[in-house]
Amino acid sequence: MDLALVIAVASVAAGVIAAVVADARLWVLAPVRAFAVVAVAMAIAVHILPEAIDGGGWPVLAVAAAGLIAPLFVSRATARLGARHRRMAAELGYVAVLFHQLSDGLALGAATDEVRHWDLLIGVGAHTVPLIAMLTLTFAELGGRRAAVVRALGMLAATVVGIVLTRADDTLLPSAEPWLNAAVSGLLLHVLVHDSGDREVPAATRPLEAIGVAIGATLPFVTGGHEHSGLTHSLREDLITVVIAAAPWIVAGGALAALTAPAYRRSPRTVLRAVTGPVTALGLVIAAYAATALTDLDGVRSIGQAVADAATVVPRPVAIAAAIALAALTLLEIAKDGLLTWLGTRHDHGHGHGHDHDHDHDHA
């Protein structure tokens, strides 16, 4: 059997199996969902979006931004017809992922045509599994397992079509790919923010979520680049540099804030949540993007060089230790409160167990 087809089938099957098993068992669902959400977010940040920028230039960020906010306008337009925001966002995300899987099929076909690029193959498979798992869990909650499996088969079909097209024409890599991937990034980010699931995770299960988060965050760095993109590798290096350089100041600033706050306002836990919250993580990613963007401007490293210089102020072993401490504190916060609370996206359903989302499960 064609190696590209084997990878496509195996990655989709692994994602579906993980989601189906997790959907019936909350202690499995929590870490699988956490892994999928974080792995997809990291894949967007360090793989999909950088590759889109590398192929289409920085203007593709406008397309990603449009994809991020488009579901809001579409859901408002369709609200009069009774369509709900979560389903509309999921459907738009699914359509975008179909195009992305078509692109992945083209990449798989090209990577296995003559010379096998194993780093690309592993990267495609590794980010496909959490992507499939995330969307399968979404549609399992919206329409039941049968609907979820049908959607997964659709994503497999899109991947296979891309592989077949590449076999028919080994030069087939559409110029629209970067723009499609940028739109996919925006739509998927919207789904991640608004589709975290409804089931409350018991305190005893939350440490498993933290483990899932840790694995999902490191996966893109372990599997290598999805494609041989110079910008992707530069962004990864800048992200590592930014985290190591900023961690000592973030940790020290948080400690100073906790110590100097007035006694009646002092709340070490509040400071810890602010220091280790998603805003800090997002800020580090944005700083890495800024450093990479400025590096590309005639080789001027402005922010990037400033960050690198800042890293030399603190001895590197101390900076690395601070980065590890910051990551550990973040995981401890997730293990205590749960991923949804940490993200600030946990749904509040009041005193009952009713949900305001679609749950037309198919039990047949």
Side-chain angles (χ1 to χ4, degrees):
M1 188 177 183
D2 190 299
L3 178 59
L5 291 174
V6 170
I7 293 175
V9 172
S11 57
V12 170
V16 171
I17 291 171
V20 169
V21 171
D23 190 53
R25 299 167 179 83
L26 188 56
W27 68 272
V28 179
L29 172 64
V32 169
R33 183 176 61 187
F35 163 76
V37 167
V38 175
V40 171
M42 289 299 298
I44 291 171
V46 302
H47 281 171
I48 301 175
L49 194 54
E51 289 158 13
I53 296 171
D54 198 56
W58 290 94
V60 301
L61 288 177
V63 177
L68 181 63
I69 64 175
L72 292 174
F73 295 98
V74 174
S75 63
R76 287 180 182 177
T78 57
R80 298 173 183 176
L81 303 177
R84 300 193 180 188
H85 179 80
R86 185 188 185 197
R87 177 171 287 279
M88 184 56 59
E91 296 291 354
L92 289 174
Y94 179 71
V95 172
V97 169
L98 287 179
F99 283 106
H100 178 67
Q101 291 305 112
L102 177 65
S103 171
D104 272 359
L106 293 171
L108 283 172
T112 56
D113 191 22
E114 294 181 2
V115 179
R116 294 177 178 176
H117 301 282
W118 289 103
D119 56 342
L120 188 151
L121 296 176
I122 294 172
V124 170
H127 89 252
T128 297
V129 172
L131 182 61
I132 298 295
M134 185 195 76
L135 289 177
T136 300
L137 286 171
T138 296
F139 284 103
E141 290 187 354
L142 291 174
R145 291 185 185 179
R146 181 182 297 178
V149 171
V150 169
R151 299 303 181 111
L153 290 176
M155 289 183 277
L156 174 60
T159 309
V160 172
V161 168
I163 295 171
V164 171
L165 288 175
T166 304
R167 293 290 181 263
D169 181 0
D170 60 9
T171 65
L172 187 60
L173 285 174
S175 58
E177 181 182 5
W179 302 90
L180 289 174
N181 281 341
V184 168
S185 298
L187 286 167
L188 283 180
L189 284 173
H190 187 96
V191 172
L192 290 175
V193 171
H194 289 278
D195 188 43
S196 301
D198 293 320
R199 278 174 274 188
E200 180 69 17
V201 177
T205 308
R206 291 171 192 167
L208 296 177
E209 279 194 302
I211 294 174
V213 168
I215 297 174
T218 57
L219 182 65
F221 296 93
V222 174
T223 57
H226 177 187
E227 291 189 35
H228 300 289
S229 165
L231 188 140
T232 299
H233 294 299
S234 296
L235 178 63
R236 277 203 215 158
E237 292 177 0
D238 286 334
L239 181 57
I240 293 172
T241 299
V242 165
V243 170
I244 293 176
W249 307 103
I250 294 173
V251 173
L256 184 62
L259 292 173
T260 59
Y264 64 91
R265 291 184 179 179
R266 185 178 302 168
S267 175
R269 185 70 195 281
T270 300
V271 174
L272 180 62
R273 286 175 177 171
V275 168
T276 61
V279 174
T280 298
L282 180 61
L284 292 173
V285 172
I286 291 174
Y289 267 83
T292 303
L294 292 173
T295 299
D296 291 341
L297 298 177
D298 300 322
V300 177
R301 284 192 59 87
S302 317
I303 293 178
Q305 190 60 53
V307 169
D309 292 341
T312 63
V313 175
V314 179
R316 188 169 179 81
V318 175
I320 292 176
I324 294 173
L326 183 62
L329 289 171
T330 301
L331 293 176
L332 286 174
E333 280 294 298
I334 295 172
K336 186 178 187 305
D337 293 336
L339 177 63
L340 302 188
T341 299
W342 182 80
L343 288 172
T345 59
R346 183 173 64 84
H347 301 295
D348 184 6
H349 297 294
H351 299 290
H353 296 287
H355 303 312
D356 61 355
H357 298 307
D358 300 337
H359 289 285
D360 304 324
H361 293 292
D362 181 0
H363 297 291

